[in-house]
Amino acid sequence: MLFDRLKRFLIVLEGAERGAPAAFSPGQAVVGRVVLELAAAARCGALRLRALGAARVHWTESRSAGSSTAYTQSYSDQVEFLSHRDTLLAPPDNGEVTVLQAGRHEFPFTFQLPETLATSFEGKHGSVRYWVKAKLHRPWATVKKVKKEFTVIEPIDINTPALLAPQAGAKEKLARAWYCNRGQVSVTAKIDRKGYTPGEVIPIFAEIDNCTNRAVVPKAAIIQTQTFIARGTKKQKKSVVTSIAGDSIAAGKREVWHGRALKIPPVGPSILQCRIIQVEYSLKVCVDIPGTSKLLLELPLVIGTIPLHPFGSRTSSVSSQYSVALEWLSSIPEQPEAPPEYSAVVPSPTAEQSLAPPCRSELGAVLEGPFFAYIQEFRFRPPPLYSEIDPNPPSDGIRPRCMTC
């Protein structure tokens, strides 16, 4: 039987055989092969291949009536992204079966991924998965199956105007306890841009004013929100990716964050284009107020896959670029320094010789040569002596010209 003669039956994808995970981008070609290794000659039928990709969601909700459960409602939905079929080994047209000899047999395959695909994802109430499945049909035996999953990563380039735009917000809250007004807490926060990639550091600029009579504690965190949609109903799951805590702010005091660093850990990218599954991120700046609820300020984030370009980025503001462009002005002194005396630069014998008029024999020799040589000789004549007294003062009888006339 083939079951006893089949030693190996597996799928190999390019990029995964060298120890690297098999990851692809939308629109890319998936290349691989089905490996069939037999210990002895065996009869085989068709060898078919199928590539699938889909997003699925499922969860249940119980409705209680008093102390007992009234009913349980299930929600589920599915979106198919990829469906490809191929026959790698077809049976002969005369109705006979194919006999494969002992040894290793490889059946290559290739298929193109669609241009629009959601990133692979595993969540509590849903997933986005891609896989390749091969089926080997055998005479008088069950179908032998093998499955190989692969990852798809949708490229999200943060070098776009929408994701490079700064994000800012402000909120305030009136602290109350037992109907007593304890004052107001306000927070203003800003980040350089909306799009980031894992491993980057988000500099947070914030001002927290504590006008209450108690100390408060500011915090910042990156929140991941998974949204699952089925039959018009949404199910959400929120989790904290990373967080930092600031120093306690005393009553009536203010604290300023001058770019407090918050590093993004390795997380999956945002999923925004799938109809039934969405993965979103946000930066939350909150203030813990004793005796009342927290003050929350939320700024949207997008976790991308293509990092910020080192050149030509628009993260710096126009004002910072303007200040950098004018840095050279600070090196100009308020009072210009007078140039040195010519005698201080050139020794006196050389100066006298240079300032002396040329004799006729020398001038004649120069004029006999090319005219350009004379011009060059004139160019290197020494400059006049510097003096702070105008050698040609204006005459008293000459009326200065009015510039407005």
Side-chain angles (χ1 to χ4, degrees), residues 78-311:
Q78 176 176 332
V79 176
E80 187 176 87
F81 298 122
L82 171 66
S83 181
H84 171 80
R85 296 176 183 270
D86 195 4
T87 301
L88 305 182
L89 178 63
D93 297 334
N94 54 10
E96 298 182 358
V97 295
T98 303
V99 179
L100 297 179
Q101 301 299 320
R104 181 186 178 96
H105 302 271
E106 295 186 357
F107 302 90
F109 64 86
T110 180
F111 59 89
Q112 195 81 16
L113 294 176
E115 295 292 338
T116 303
L117 291 175
T119 299
S120 299
F121 170 76
E122 291 291 334
K124 183 177 181 180
H125 305 294
S127 62
V128 180
R129 297 174 181 171
Y130 300 89
W131 67 93
V132 181
K133 183 183 294 185
K135 293 183 179 181
L136 179 62
H137 298 266
R138 305 171 294 172
W140 308 101
T142 59
V143 178
K144 189 68 174 177
K145 303 177 182 179
V146 64
K147 181 179 179 181
K148 178 73 172 181
E149 294 187 2
F150 62 93
T151 302
V152 171
I153 301 177
E154 179 188 7
I156 301 178
D157 189 359
I158 68 172
N159 297 279
T160 58
L163 299 185
L164 290 178
Q167 304 296 309
K171 263 193 175 183
E172 57 185 23
K173 184 179 182 64
L174 190 63
R176 293 180 178 271
W178 297 100
Y179 303 101
C180 295
N181 186 1
R182 297 187 178 275
Q184 182 175 276
V185 179
S186 62
V187 58
T188 303
K190 177 185 177 181
I191 55 178
D192 291 339
R193 46 192 161 94
K194 184 178 181 180
Y196 289 87
T197 52
E200 284 192 288
V201 174
I202 304 177
I204 306 173
F205 301 87
E207 289 186 4
I208 303 98
D209 285 327
N210 181 19
C211 298
T212 66
N213 55 5
R214 292 188 177 184
V216 298
V217 179
K219 298 179 181 179
I222 297 178
I223 308 297
Q224 183 195 67
T225 303
Q226 302 176 7
T227 304
F228 307 92
I229 306 171
R231 296 166 50 187
T233 304
K234 293 183 179 181
K235 186 77 171 179
Q236 285 190 338
K237 180 183 181 298
K238 296 187 177 183
S239 59
V240 178
V241 174
T242 184
S243 64
I244 57 172
D247 299 329
S248 177
I249 306 175
K253 299 295 182 179
R254 169 188 290 186
E255 180 170 336
V256 180
W257 286 2
H258 298 283
R260 179 68 64 90
L262 181 60
K263 187 174 182 180
I264 305 175
V267 293
S270 301
I271 300 178
L272 306 175
Q273 305 300 328
C274 183
R275 181 174 60 84
I276 61 176
I277 295 179
Q278 294 180 357
V279 179
E280 299 170 304
Y281 293 89
S282 61
L283 173 67
K284 286 191 176 181
V285 179
C286 67
V287 182
D288 287 339
I289 307 173
T292 184
S293 59
K294 299 179 180 180
L295 171 61
L296 297 176
L297 174 61
E298 186 173 356
L299 301 178
L301 288 177
V302 172
I303 303 299
T305 59
I306 301 177
L308 184 68
H309 197 282
F311 305 103

Side-chain angles (χ1 to χ4, degrees), residues 294-351:
K294 299 179 180 180
L295 171 61
L296 297 176
L297 174 61
E298 186 173 356
L299 301 178
L301 288 177
V302 172
I303 303 299
T305 59
I306 301 177
L308 184 68
H309 197 282
F311 305 103
S313 63
R314 305 192 306 112
T315 55
S316 57
S317 62
V318 175
S319 60
S320 62
Q321 292 178 0
Y322 183 74
S323 61
V324 171
L326 297 183
E327 283 183 355
W328 64 275
L329 288 176
S330 60
S331 60
I332 300 179
E334 297 181 0
Q335 186 67 25
E337 184 181 355
E341 294 286 345
Y342 182 78
S343 59
V345 179
V346 182
S348 55
T350 308

Side-chain angles (χ1 to χ4, degrees), residues 376-396:
Q376 290 295 99
E377 181 72 17
F378 183 78
R379 280 185 55 194
F380 291 99
R381 298 285 295 175
L385 293 176
Y386 173 79
S387 176
E388 296 184 359
I389 301 175
D390 190 353
N392 300 310
S395 177
D396 297 337

